[in-house]
Amino acid sequence: DVKVTQSSRYLVKRTGEKVFLECVQDMDHENMFWYRQDPGLGLRLIYFSYDVKMKEKGDIPEGYSVSREKKERFSLILESASTNQTSMYLCASSAGGATDTQYFGPGTRLTVL
Amino acid sequence: RKEVEQDPGPFNVPEGATVAFNCTYSNSASQSFFWYRQDCRKEPKLLMSVYSSGNEDGRFTAQLNRASQYISLLIRDSKLSDSATYLCVVNVVTGGGNKLTFGTGTQLKVEL
């Protein structure tokens, strides 16, 4: 059974803190993705990765960075958290190819105070 | 214009009703199309892919019209358990690989 896990379901941080969101998949998938989901805006792609140590900017990369040191793990980093980064963060993975299903983790609800 | 547009709803329908959702996309280079389902406070999950010839999975039928850049999802004999948000998703293959663009979703509430 496919599984994508995220390190926290809920997280509260203060403005200016450095925040790490971790995602792990056990399906040996090549591709991993980070999205944020906000009411009225839907899911927006922040960063994605097609291979270890490889990263590509998505639609809204500003204020974020990522790290993929191992195939199964993809980390999202908020260098200096701001209140407008309060959101639901969803990680996903896929095997690759134009028609591949993306499997999502349960999400991390981040609140920045 | 948004890349993928959906009517946000909510659609409130009685159990047993037939309901249809529509979606339009702006990028004519889009190659793959999907419907995902997202339950309240849960992650999105693939409901079905959408093929040019149209496809059916039980009570669910998906249609694609490439000329009009339009996708639809029909749910027959609605169940209470169908209550969820339905996300129209379009895949565009870029130089770096595939990228999914999600609509904001259409909320369905099936009532007794």
Side-chain angles (χ1 to χ4, degrees):
Chain A
D1 211 12
V2 297
K3 196 158 186 187
V4 179
T5 56
Q6 295 183 228
S7 49
S8 307
R9 290 302 302 272
Y10 300 94
L11 209 52
V12 180
K13 295 292 182 180
R14 296 206 174 275
T15 300
E17 280 193 79
K18 190 167 186 176
V19 182
F20 293 87
L21 301 182
E22 303 285 341
C23 175
V24 178
Q25 50 96 2
D26 66 358
M27 297 163 284
D28 201 35
H29 281 172
E30 302 291 330
N31 309 314
M32 296 189 76
F33 308 83
W34 274 107
Y35 296 88
R36 63 178 283 178
Q37 186 173 29
D38 301 286
L41 296 176
L43 275 88
R44 293 179 291 166
L45 182 63
I46 304 170
Y47 266 98
F48 56 103
S49 169
Y50 293 123
D51 201 354
V52 175
K53 296 192 186 294
M54 178 274 181
K55 60 185 178 185
E56 290 280 346
K57 291 180 180 179
D59 299 318
I60 51 163
E62 296 78 19
Y64 304 94
S65 62
V66 290
S67 172
R68 192 157 179 211
E69 296 296 318
K70 293 185 178 182
K71 189 176 186 180
E72 67 271 18
R73 188 179 296 269
F74 192 35
S75 303
L76 180 69
I77 303 150
L78 286 67
E79 294 290 341
S80 178
S82 62
T83 54
N84 63 13
Q85 292 178 311
T86 292
S87 186
M88 170 66 81
Y89 289 88
L90 289 156
C91 175
S93 73
S94 74
T99 58
D100 266 4
T101 303
Q102 287 195 9
Y103 296 91
F104 284 84
T108 296
R109 170 71 64 186
L110 172 66
T111 302
V112 183
L113 301 174
Chain B
R1 184 186 170 188
K2 288 183 180 177
E3 290 192 53
V4 179
E5 293 210 56
Q6 298 181 250
D7 182 339
F11 283 56
N12 298 311
V13 302
E15 212 176 4
T18 295
V19 61
F21 304 140
N22 302 319
C23 168
T24 57
Y25 61 95
S26 61
N27 191 328
S28 59
S30 298
Q31 300 185 0
S32 305
F33 310 88
F34 310 90
W35 285 100
Y36 277 66
R37 170 190 169 133
Q38 186 171 22
D39 293 312
C40 188
R41 302 184 198 283
K42 297 282 191 179
E43 71 273 20
K45 292 184 179 179
L46 178 69
L47 177 66
M48 60 196 299
S49 300
V50 187
Y51 303 116
S52 296
S53 54
N55 48 298
E56 190 173 305
D57 183 2
R59 298 180 293 107
F60 298 83
T61 301
Q63 297 276 357
L64 167 66
N65 183 323
R66 284 188 185 270
S68 302
Q69 295 180 203
Y70 171 96
I71 306 160
S72 66
L73 176 68
L74 183 77
I75 305 176
R76 291 182 300 279
D77 189 23
S78 300
K79 312 290 185 191
L80 294 174
S81 57
D82 293 334
S83 297
T85 297
Y86 291 84
L87 306 174
C88 176
V89 185
V90 173
N91 182 313
V92 178
V93 178
T94 66
N98 70 82
K99 172 180 173 287
L100 291 186
T101 299
F102 288 77
T104 52
T106 298
Q107 189 179 10
L108 172 65
K109 295 180 181 178
V110 182
E111 301 162 333
L112 286 171

